[in-house]
Amino acid sequence: METGTTEADIISTVEFNHTGELLATGDKGGRVVIFQREQESKNQVHRRGEYNVYSTFQSHEPEFDYLKSLEIEEKINKIRWLPQQNAAYFLLSTNDKTVKLWKVSERDKRPEGYNLKDEEGRLRDPATITTLRVPVLRPMDLMVEATPRRVFANAHTYHINSISVNSDYETYMSADDLRINLWNFEITNQSFNIVDIKPANMEELTEVITAAEFHPHHCNTFVYSSSKGTIRLCDMRASALCDRHTKFFEEPEDPSNRSFFSEIISSISDVKFSHSGRYIMTRDYLTVKVWDLNMENRPIETYQVHDYLRSKLCSLYENDCIFDKFECVWNGSDSVIMTGSYNNFFRMFDRNTKRDVTLEASRENSKPRAILKPRKVCVGGKRRKDEISVDSLDFSKKILHTAWHPSENIIAVAATNNLYIFQDKVN
Amino acid sequence: MAGVAGPRMGQGAAGGDGDDSLYPIAVLIDELRNEDVQLRLNSIKKLSTIALALGVERTRTELLPFLTDTIYDEDEVLLALAEQLGNFTGLVGGPDFAHCLLPPLESLATVEETVVRDKAVESLRQISQEHTAVALEAHFVPLVKRLASGDWFTSRTSACGLFSVCYPRASNAVKAEIRQHFRSLCSDDTPMVRRAAASKLGEFAKVLELDSVKSEIVPLFTNLASDEQDSVRLLAVEACVNIAQLLSEDDLEALVMPTLGQAAEDKSWRVRYMVADKFSELQKAVGPKITLNDLIPAFQNLLKDCEAEVRAAAAHKVKELCENLPMEGRETIIMNQILPYIKELVSDTNQHVKSALASVIMGLSTILGKGNTIEHLLPLFLAQLKDECPEVRLNIISNLDCVNEVIGIRQLSQSLLPAIVELAEDAKWRVRLAIIEYMPLLAGQLGVEFFDEKLNSLCMAWLVDHVYAIREAATNGLVKLVQKFGKEWAQNTIVPKVLVMANDPNYLHRMTTLFCINALSEACGQEITTKQMLPVVLKMAGDQVANVRFNVAKSLQKIGPILDTDALQEEVKPVLQKLGQDEDVDVKYFAQEAISVVAQRLRKLDFPVKDSEEPSTPGADKNHFLRPRDPERTLGSGERDGRLSGSVASEKTVEAVQFRGTHAAKGPAYQRHVNTRDTLAQLEIAELVHFPQSRD
């Protein structure tokens, strides 16, 4: 699905809803596009519900903060779906400063019949009105409308990097570089600051918050990751302010690997709880790590995403790629994890078999229902057929945002301005 | 245009024809779907008028089906609709047809907006009472069941609020079903529904038979109180208040208290906070014996909780708790079991805790009596008066009256004074403002001598504060002091000091003199005003700053009624006339306004005229446009050059007048609309159809 190549079209977030029936994307132009899976039809078994555009709306507009002389981009940083509560769907979308709650609903009836107008809209002579007509609802073509229900603004001084809905369904949190705020869905004019790591003197600043997420079942638990490669788990039961963490996950640094870039590449770009709530997964520049909530001193699993880049860190630093923020996702049963890389490659790791695969999202080799071929990056001297050399990787084609259907093997991969949806081969 | 609707309507009314009222109704019906929310809202609010015109039959068969499907609208429209439908029984044909209202309310009860849903539930509850017992089982109970087993949790949450209204009137078989539905909602998958169920648990328990309360409600309560979601557990605490009232002391002890004890020690501070917050209600519900055995120890723990929010909530309840203890042995319990913990809180690390305590601690003195207060409480008060947090000190000072009654304020005055002085000079103007508000109260309790000696100078200092709000509050404070201490006191202590400021080099201070005179003249009376104040005001008419001069004009207008006619005629009038010729437009304007008011008074005294014949003064009705002229009115702009904002305001005036002009020109186009509304207003009276509530 190509939509042109302007900056505004670059996809900045992808997210399935809780049933997997809908898929939302946000882009740099502040738009949200929602795709709906087609109902499975019985006579076409091999075509298991494709995703078609369901609704498109402008979620955020560019703004200017006159008090601080700051431009506020319209780019959608994150989208989070709310559990469905009635026939309509609800999602949160955020840019750098403002979180919005959107309602996406269907309408298939419209009222007909006026007293003072005829069917063509011409005014009737009031003198001819002898009876009253009550409008009647008639079926019409399905219309999907998106309406902003709440705007949660003015609570973040820094850029919002994460939003996460609590399992109590009545609160959510929003995290920026230095603070995490807790909101009630019903209340827009106040939020509670639960974490504040801003030092009294900004010159003493050594780390920032990079991502935050609520536990999927325990309403009181959340984690946040930092630019220093550490993860803190906080318990909101213990105290109203969660500046002190309950658990602190950190892997001791290997002194032999220490370099100028160590600190930059250890910065965590994404943190995700497993669906079971037992594990957390973190992504740093070169690896994905899985941590057991019960073990704080090291991750239980570490997967190399693109270790061949270790020798190229210098040039990646120069072209700023080293600061790219890759996200990571779990599959529905927590057995496979997926994350992105460069050259439109994305990686999957099977936690049980320890097998891993590199796949490419490209328009050339992804004709509808074509099977994806694994790709290999050649590391050393000789390049075999089908391999691609590290030097010929295209660093401008990066896959930062991916999503996995909550229960099936369907994945959505955002490659700059293209969205690819892949699914298991049907037998 | 105005003519089109007008005459025809008149004709219709004369002919007594029913159709003539159709036009406004037709407009209302069409506006139900107008693009303008406000018009839709207006139409919905007149829904009864529409229904009345349509008659009961068409309301049931056409209007209600239409409304059932209009749940796409804005929240405020839906809210109004939900509210209207609660009073609609009469308009659909009385109690026999009340069930026709259920479908639209049912769809409103499933919308996502909580306020709309709550209103729909409220209306449903109202309508349930209008159902006959048969209709209730045939229509209302099935609706409740439908909602309770709905796919979406919005409908299930709404169902929770409906059980208690239909239960008492249902047959035994249906009762069992209702209880079953409630039970399953209490263990619903979504926390939203469990929260709704928990919040209605107490209410539902009240309508149940005592046996069922024990056998069913108590287990539900126990489950909810140990729910995995904090937000559910804390609501169970609230339910506890209601359930406790229903059970005997023994049952309480056995069935409820263990759970409540758990809640008071819950891992989540929010649950413990809830226990602290509901403490007085719980105390009343469980009775004195259990309070002593179980609640007091729990309260002690809450007072030393590790979370400041909990301690603050508990500290707030200290006084109420002590008050509600049985008289017998109260003093001992407080002295031995509560006071030691309070002493700790006085030096708490958190200022919110301290200020919560400070806001109630003084109330203990009446409960404990003079001896204990002096021995035990006074040291605490004194410590809090020296607290580093201004909020704490303010809370103590604002409650001084309680102590005054018991031990007299003298005991405190030594410590009080430094505390007041410090607050009076606090860097935050809001703190200064707060202490000013208490000044008259303090003055009353400390007496005039103490005031003159120690506090008077503070009051005067506030008059020259650099924040306008403080100067204004100080001015108003003076009036209250004069009312308390009398004219003579004012003449000797305040007035001279105020008048000296008239020669201050700062024009803002000179204006303060004028503002004080405006405020004080009435309290001081004619003699002081004429002899002491008036000369100063008149002298200031020659001030070089225009702001001062036009305030002189305003002051003269203000104190005019207090002066006698001689002074008005001979002293005030010439000065005003001179100001009326001033080079500054604002001064001129206010001078002329004052002249007309003064002249009116003089004329009335000489030859009384009827008010209606009074030629209206040209400037008078413009007055409210001119408000912004007073540069000091808006906080913050107080220090700006007044003249600038004055001239800006004049421009605004011109604009405003022009605006009104254009409006007037458009007048006729609006009239038709106004006309329809008038007819509607008459129709409204007819809509009050009363139906007796049917209940068997």
Side-chain angles (χ1 to χ4, degrees):
Chain A
M1 274 159 253
E2 192 172 26
T3 44
T5 46
T6 58
E7 174 84 4
D9 291 327
I10 294 176
I11 297 172
S12 52
T13 181
V14 189
E15 186 81 7
F16 278 103
N17 77 342
H18 294 261
T19 58
E21 193 208 339
L22 299 179
L23 172 70
T25 64
D27 64 26
K28 286 200 171 173
R31 276 164 305 181
V32 170
V33 182
I34 300 173
F35 299 87
Q36 187 185 37
R37 195 180 186 187
E38 256 179 27
Q39 294 301 311
E40 273 181 55
S41 56
K42 279 184 183 132
N43 40 14
Q44 285 179 296
V45 188
H46 63 281
R47 291 196 58 179
R48 290 188 316 177
E50 287 182 358
Y51 283 81
N52 292 322
V53 175
Y54 178 64
S55 171
T56 306
F57 59 93
Q58 189 73 34
S59 167
H60 287 72
E61 303 273 0
E63 282 175 85
F64 191 81
D65 183 339
Y66 294 97
L67 288 178
K68 298 193 185 97
S69 264
L70 267 182
E71 261 182 81
I72 303 168
E73 280 184 68
E74 66 274 32
K75 178 187 157 217
I76 309 294
N77 289 345
K78 280 280 178 329
I79 290 176
R80 287 288 177 269
W81 290 91
L82 266 63
Q84 202 173 356
Q85 50 181 321
N86 59 14
Y89 301 97
F90 292 83
L91 62 81
L92 286 174
S93 64
T94 185
N95 66 351
D96 285 340
K97 299 286 176 189
T98 306
V99 185
K100 291 184 182 177
L101 176 66
W102 288 90
K103 172 188 180 181
V104 182
S105 56
E106 295 180 357
R107 186 188 283 204
D108 57 359
K109 284 182 197 151
R110 66 189 172 90
E112 275 178 13
Y114 280 101
N115 286 296
L116 303 181
K117 290 190 259 192
D118 61 19
E119 299 312 316
E120 279 85 50
R122 279 184 304 244
L123 282 182
R124 270 188 206 149
D125 179 3
T128 64
I129 298 172
T130 49
T131 52
L132 291 172
R133 293 177 64 187
V134 178
V136 191
L137 289 153
R138 303 250 183 257
M140 62 162 188
D141 288 342
L142 184 70
M143 203 169 84
V144 181
E145 27 180 39
T147 33
R149 299 291 303 177
R150 302 261 193 281
V151 177
F152 306 90
N154 305 324
H156 285 279
T157 317
Y158 305 94
H159 289 183
I160 299 177
N161 53 45
S162 314
I163 42 178
S164 176
V165 178
N166 192 324
S167 60
D168 66 10
Y169 298 179
E170 72 172 352
T171 53
Y172 76 92
M173 67 175 167
S174 56
D176 68 21
D177 297 336
L178 294 177
R179 300 196 177 98
I180 300 178
N181 292 333
L182 185 68
W183 300 84
N184 187 305
F185 281 115
E186 308 262 311
I187 300 163
T188 55
N189 59 0
Q190 55 175 316
S191 69
F192 291 98
N193 177 245
I194 46 177
V195 174
D196 186 351
I197 62 164
K198 187 179 176 210
N201 178 1
M202 276 300 261
E203 277 161 24
E204 292 161 18
L205 185 69
T206 56
E207 66 176 329
V208 294
I209 298 169
T210 54
E213 192 179 48
F214 269 119
H215 190 281
H217 318 302
H218 299 315
C219 61
N220 52 288
T221 312
F222 68 94
V223 292
Y224 67 93
S225 60
S226 92
S227 55
K228 276 188 162 174
T230 59
I231 309 118
R232 289 176 177 82
L233 181 134
C234 302
D235 185 350
M236 295 200 297
R237 288 179 300 186
S239 132
L241 301 175
C242 300
D243 290 333
R244 266 179 304 181
H245 52 260
T246 323
K247 288 188 176 186
F248 183 68
F249 300 87
E250 183 180 30
E251 185 173 35
E253 197 186 19
D254 180 1
S256 63
N257 259 341
R258 174 129 196 100
S259 76
F260 172 73
F261 303 108
S262 301
E263 207 169 302
I264 303 175
I265 62 169
S266 67
S267 173
I268 292 176
S269 52
D270 196 15
V271 59
K272 290 269 165 65
F273 270 105
S274 64
H275 294 88
S276 66
R278 169 78 189 268
Y279 305 104
I280 43 181
M281 163 166 61
T282 57
R283 169 72 207 256
D284 55 39
Y285 192 61
L286 294 177
T287 66
V288 182
K289 292 175 179 148
V290 176
W291 307 74
D292 188 325
L293 277 195
N294 300 321
M295 190 162 76
E296 295 167 60
N297 57 357
R298 62 186 166 83
I300 51 168
E301 295 155 28
T302 301
Y303 301 99
Q304 299 298 333
V305 179
H306 37 214
D307 204 45
Y308 45 80
L309 295 182
R310 199 175 281 280
S311 58
K312 308 201 56 104
L313 291 177
C314 225
S315 52
L316 289 166
Y317 180 76
E318 271 158 23
N319 64 11
D320 272 354
C321 280
I322 203 169
F323 300 106
D324 282 337
K325 298 188 88 183
F326 291 98
E327 293 172 7
C328 50
V329 289
W330 301 86
N331 74 337
S333 59
D334 299 337
S335 60
V336 183
I337 55 188
M338 171 170 66
T339 189
S341 176
Y342 293 102
N343 202 48
N344 276 351
F345 286 175
F346 58 97
R347 304 265 288 148
M348 286 189 185
F349 305 95
D350 188 315
R351 299 178 60 211
N352 299 325
T353 62
K354 302 293 171 198
R355 286 205 322 213
D356 66 274
V357 64
T358 305
L359 297 167
E360 181 181 2
S362 78
R363 286 163 53 81
E364 290 76 54
N365 61 10
S366 66
K367 307 216 166 43
R369 276 179 300 286
I371 293 172
L372 284 183
K373 265 188 289 177
R375 304 297 308 252
K376 272 218 168 88
V377 176
C378 144
V379 198
K382 260 196 175 174
R383 187 168 71 92
R384 270 185 283 170
K385 211 181 144 206
D386 282 359
E387 283 192 352
I388 179 168
S389 126
V390 179
D391 296 318
S392 53
L393 292 174
D394 185 345
F395 290 106
S396 67
K397 292 180 178 170
K398 37 193 137 191
I399 292 184
L400 302 175
H401 315 285
T402 58
W404 203 310
H405 189 285
S407 53
E408 293 178 41
N409 282 335
I410 297 176
I411 56 168
V413 177
T416 47
N417 56 338
N418 297 312
L419 178 71
Y420 296 88
I421 298 173
F422 303 109
Q423 56 179 321
D424 253 359
K425 193 179 66 168
V426 189
N427 296 322
Chain B
M1 273 175 94
V4 180
R8 193 169 34 78
M9 280 178 156
Q11 222 173 37
D17 190 340
D19 279 354
D20 51 272
S21 59
L22 284 185
Y23 178 75
I25 302 289
V27 172
L28 273 186
I29 293 179
D30 284 1
E31 282 182 354
L32 278 174
R33 350 161 1 200
N34 197 293
E35 279 179 15
D36 183 349
V37 183
Q38 203 51 50
L39 290 181
R40 291 205 299 276
L41 192 59
N42 285 341
S43 250
I44 286 284
K45 285 184 174 160
K46 298 246 161 63
L47 206 56
S48 47
T49 313
I50 297 177
L52 204 62
L54 286 172
V56 292
E57 180 74 33
R58 292 191 67 193
T59 300
R60 289 198 301 264
T61 55
E62 293 178 46
L63 186 61
L64 289 180
F66 170 71
L67 294 173
T68 306
D69 281 323
T70 44
I71 51 165
Y72 301 111
D73 216 321
E74 302 278 331
D75 298 331
E76 47 183 336
V77 178
L78 297 182
L79 183 67
L81 177 59
E83 189 172 6
Q84 290 285 316
L85 290 175
N87 302 311
F88 235 60
T89 309
L91 295 160
V92 294
D96 290 342
F97 296 95
H99 59 86
C100 298
L101 295 170
L102 299 182
L105 285 170
E106 183 175 351
S107 64
L108 287 169
T110 61
V111 301
E112 67 277 1
E113 188 57 51
T114 318
V115 279
V116 176
R117 254 179 7 238
D118 288 350
K119 188 55 86 180
V121 168
E122 197 185 310
S123 288
L124 279 169
R125 288 168 70 113
Q126 214 169 318
I127 288 175
S128 73
Q129 303 305 322
E130 284 156 5
H131 278 66
T132 60
V134 180
L136 194 80
E137 283 202 11
H139 301 285
F140 197 85
V141 173
L143 159 95
V144 177
K145 287 191 211 160
R146 251 191 332 272
L147 285 173
S149 49
D151 283 342
W152 311 118
F153 62 71
T154 44
S155 87
R156 302 201 296 276
T157 50
S158 293
C160 294
L162 297 174
F163 291 108
S164 63
V165 288
C166 52
Y167 189 84
R169 297 171 60 203
S171 66
N172 281 341
V174 174
K175 277 184 175 176
E177 271 184 83
I178 294 175
R179 288 200 304 271
Q180 173 58 37
H181 273 286
F182 191 82
R183 267 204 303 278
S184 58
L185 290 181
C186 283
S187 52
D188 195 275
D189 286 340
T190 63
M192 284 287 190
V193 179
R194 295 203 300 277
R195 273 200 294 278
S199 64
K200 301 293 178 197
L201 185 67
E203 175 192 290
F204 189 52
K206 279 187 181 167
V207 299
L208 251 60
E209 300 76 14
L210 187 58
D211 284 345
S212 305
V213 171
K214 274 196 248 179
S215 64
E216 296 188 32
I217 294 289
V218 168
L220 289 177
F221 164 70
T222 316
N223 276 339
L224 289 168
S226 55
D227 196 279
E228 57 166 15
Q229 291 281 343
D230 301 353
S231 53
V232 178
R233 292 202 303 281
L234 62 87
L235 287 172
V237 175
E238 248 183 314
C240 185
V241 175
N242 279 328
I243 297 172
Q245 289 167 348
L246 304 171
L247 298 174
S248 69
E249 209 165 74
D250 290 342
D251 288 335
L252 255 181
E253 192 85 71
L255 300 172
V256 175
M257 289 319 287
T259 314
L260 185 61
Q262 259 173 34
E265 289 168 7
D266 197 280
K267 268 190 99 172
S268 171
W269 68 268
R270 285 163 70 197
V271 179
R272 300 196 303 273
Y273 173 92
M274 202 64 174
V275 177
D277 196 48
K278 296 275 166 236
F279 213 87
S280 305
E281 286 92 327
L282 287 168
Q283 185 187 2
K284 280 179 203 149
V286 301
K289 191 172 148 229
I290 298 180
T291 297
L292 292 187
N293 293 342
D294 297 311
L295 287 191
I296 297 280
F299 193 71
Q300 293 170 341
N301 286 333
L302 293 171
L303 283 177
K304 54 175 191 180
D305 197 278
C306 57
E307 173 58 44
E309 299 275 350
V310 179
R311 293 200 301 278
H316 262 302
K317 301 289 163 187
V318 164
K319 184 191 156 202
E320 260 182 273
L321 172 103
C322 296
E323 262 175 356
N324 295 335
L325 290 170
M327 286 303 279
E328 194 186 335
R330 178 163 85 172
E331 198 179 309
T332 344
I333 297 166
I334 297 175
M335 294 306 292
N336 296 335
Q337 303 195 45
I338 306 284
L339 202 62
Y341 294 88
I342 294 180
K343 282 181 181 163
E344 297 276 311
L345 286 187
V346 169
S347 52
D348 198 277
T349 49
N350 186 294
Q351 65 174 49
H352 298 295
V353 177
K354 286 188 290 190
S355 77
L357 182 69
S359 66
V360 296
I361 191 175
M362 308 292 265
L364 292 181
S365 46
T366 32
I367 301 170
L368 287 176
K370 192 172 178 181
N372 283 325
T373 300
I374 292 177
E375 193 180 336
H376 298 283
L377 292 178
L378 196 57
L380 303 182
F381 300 158
L382 296 178
Q384 292 200 301
L385 273 176
K386 295 194 188 86
D387 198 280
E388 57 186 5
C389 168
E391 190 90 336
V392 176
R393 284 174 268 150
L394 272 178
N395 277 346
I396 291 291
I397 290 176
S398 60
N399 287 299
L400 276 177
D401 44 342
C402 319
V403 183
N404 199 12
E405 287 162 21
V406 182
I407 56 168
I409 210 158
R410 287 281 159 191
Q411 299 271 5
L412 274 172
S413 51
Q414 283 307 315
S415 308
L416 204 49
L417 191 64
I420 295 172
V421 172
E422 211 173 304
L423 288 168
E425 290 161 0
D426 197 284
K428 295 198 188 73
W429 68 267
R430 284 178 196 281
V431 175
R432 299 202 295 277
L433 188 63
I435 186 74
I436 292 177
E437 315 259 306
Y438 297 128
M439 225 18 156
L441 176 86
L442 282 172
Q445 292 179 346
L446 291 163
V448 64
E449 284 154 43
F450 188 92
F451 183 86
D452 281 346
E453 199 179 314
K454 318 272 188 188
L455 301 178
N456 197 6
S457 53
L458 286 178
C459 292
M460 290 302 143
W462 282 324
L463 286 176
V464 293
D465 197 284
H466 62 272
V467 175
Y468 175 69
I470 299 296
R471 300 200 293 275
E472 186 188 38
T475 309
N476 296 335
L478 286 184
V479 179
K480 290 190 190 129
L481 288 172
V482 173
Q483 283 161 353
K484 209 157 243 155
F485 294 150
K487 285 181 204 175
E488 206 172 311
W489 174 81
Q491 191 174 7
N492 294 331
T493 52
I494 293 192
V495 176
K497 287 181 185 169
V498 167
L499 296 183
V500 166
M501 277 164 45
N503 301 318
D504 197 289
N506 185 335
Y507 86 97
L508 291 172
H509 296 172
R510 298 203 292 280
M511 293 212 298
T512 305
T513 300
L514 291 173
F515 297 145
C516 286
I517 287 173
N518 292 348
L520 289 173
S521 57
E522 199 173 333
C524 288
Q526 195 182 54
E527 201 190 324
I528 298 176
T529 308
T530 317
K531 293 229 172 92
Q532 299 194 358
M533 296 177 177
L534 185 61
V536 176
V537 178
L538 294 174
K539 198 177 140 221
M540 288 168 86
D543 200 288
Q544 53 185 355
V545 176
N547 284 45
V548 178
R549 293 202 301 279
F550 80 62
N551 271 299
V552 166
K554 285 166 93 176
S555 287
L556 288 175
Q557 183 184 334
K558 172 96 186 157
I559 63 174
I562 299 154
L563 302 172
D564 59 40
T565 31
D566 289 348
L568 271 182
Q569 190 71 44
E570 280 150 36
E571 299 182 61
V572 176
K573 218 173 158 188
V575 171
L576 280 177
Q577 274 159 351
K578 194 173 153 242
L579 287 175
Q581 307 299 318
D582 201 279
E583 57 190 25
D584 186 282
V585 282
D586 294 330
V587 177
K588 228 188 269 180
Y589 173 80
F590 282 108
Q592 268 153 13
E593 196 176 79
I595 288 171
S596 64
V597 173
V598 169
Q600 219 170 307
R601 189 170 126 80
L602 285 174
R603 223 178 311 150
K604 258 190 201 157
L605 292 172
D606 295 346
F607 17 72
V609 211
K610 262 200 260 166
D611 275 22
S612 54
E613 286 167 20
E614 200 79 24
S616 68
T617 47
D621 61 334
K622 287 197 287 182
N623 200 19
H624 74 275
F625 292 118
L626 288 161
R627 272 282 168 76
R629 266 179 188 249
D630 187 345
E632 295 265 15
R633 271 218 120 77
T634 32
L635 244 185
S637 69
E639 265 67 48
R640 260 207 329 237
D641 185 333
R643 298 192 60 173
L644 188 67
S645 64
S647 59
V648 170
S650 326
E651 274 172 37
K652 264 193 201 148
T653 321
V654 176
E655 257 174 44
V657 172
Q658 282 171 345
F659 185 57
R660 284 168 99 208
T662 45
H663 247 273
K666 277 188 187 164
Y670 279 68
Q671 255 165 24
R672 194 173 97 177
H673 232 81
V674 170
N675 229 339
T676 39
R677 303 280 164 206
D678 282 345
T679 327
L680 294 176
Q682 288 167 358
L683 278 169
E684 254 179 355
I685 303 164
E687 84 193 30
L688 291 165
V689 186
H690 186 70
F691 276 88
Q693 294 192 342
S694 80
R695 233 201 260 228
D696 28 333

